Amino acid sequence: MLVPRHGRVLLIRDPNGDQVFAAVSPGEVYSFPASPASFRDSGEWFGQAAEPVYVFDAKPFLALGVPADSKRVRDLLLFWWLLEPGRAHYPPAGLIRRELGHDVPAALPDIASALWQLAPLLEERLEKEELMSVYEEVEAPLTPILAAMEASGIGFDASPLRVLSKKMAHEISVLEKQIFQVVLLKVL
């Protein structure tokens, strides 16, 4: 990885998963292939500066070799989820719009740059709302488990649902007949 490390860094992966964009300052963004080779021997790089590396959605980065270490690697998507757990979607541009109050161009380097600026503000909000311990002790340690589940899938036995579906279909049919009879009696 040929990205300089002087302080805070923000990593975001493109939606196709081909590239990683690394913002190291508001206008300084690098890109490199999203592959395990790009992160080989990067353990020291992650621990170089006092500030952590921020990522937007840590799960896909774990497969590339990014350490699952909540002190050195902070997940902005998980921060946002803790701060607003009821949302249906967590797009990076939506976070920028919500927190910084402006739209950013759709280009990932611009999004990475804006997220770089936003990262310490979100972390400060997490601290202020006393959620950092929840992040560090509960949510971040679950990230590798969730990533493994997403990668391999989970088993599911649909047969009990089929039985329940048939039972409900029968009950609905019975109720429809009863409703029809009541309506028919009132009409006559």
Side-chain angles (χ1 to χ4, degrees):
M1 183 180 334
L2 300 173
V3 177
R5 181 81 202 274
H6 308 293
R8 176 169 76 240
V9 175
L10 180 286
L11 302 176
I12 187 169
R13 213 167 155 179
D14 76 345
N16 299 325
D18 300 335
Q19 293 287 311
V20 172
F21 292 87
V24 297
S25 69
E28 192 176 355
V29 180
Y30 298 85
S31 71
F32 53 90
S35 71
S38 296
F39 289 94
R40 190 171 296 120
D41 303 322
S42 64
E44 183 180 315
W45 182 85
F46 279 94
Q48 270 181 357
E51 291 186 74
V53 173
Y54 294 94
V55 297
F56 191 88
D57 194 3
K59 292 187 304 282
F61 283 102
L62 296 176
L64 299 176
V66 171
D69 178 347
S70 66
K71 299 284 188 204
R72 295 187 301 162
V73 179
R74 304 286 183 145
D75 187 347
L76 294 185
L77 177 63
L78 202 46
F79 281 7
W80 191 14
W81 181 80
L82 282 167
L83 292 166
E84 294 182 45
R87 296 180 62 89
H89 303 286
Y90 295 85
L95 176 62
I96 294 162
R97 188 172 27 263
R98 171 134 170 71
E99 295 297 320
L100 297 179
H102 61 79
D103 287 332
V104 293
L108 271 172
D110 297 326
I111 290 172
S113 184
L115 289 172
W116 181 88
Q117 295 173 2
L118 181 58
L121 303 174
L122 268 184
E123 187 161 357
E124 186 177 299
R125 251 185 83 199
L126 218 59
E127 290 280 358
K128 183 179 176 186
E129 295 188 29
E130 298 180 357
L131 291 170
M132 188 55 80
S133 63
V134 174
Y135 171 81
E136 290 177 343
E137 297 169 20
V138 179
E139 299 300 338
L142 287 174
T143 300
I145 296 165
L146 293 173
M149 288 172 64
E150 285 181 11
S152 63
I154 57 172
F156 179 73
D157 181 7
S159 58
L161 288 179
R162 281 193 284 279
V163 170
L164 183 61
S165 178
K166 286 180 183 178
K167 180 180 176 185
M168 290 177 71
H170 174 72
E171 289 178 14
I172 289 171
S173 176
V174 168
L175 288 172
E176 285 175 341
K177 288 176 185 173
Q178 290 174 351
I179 291 169
F180 182 74
Q181 288 174 348
V182 169
V183 170
L184 189 60
L185 286 176
K186 289 191 177 200
V187 170
L188 296 176

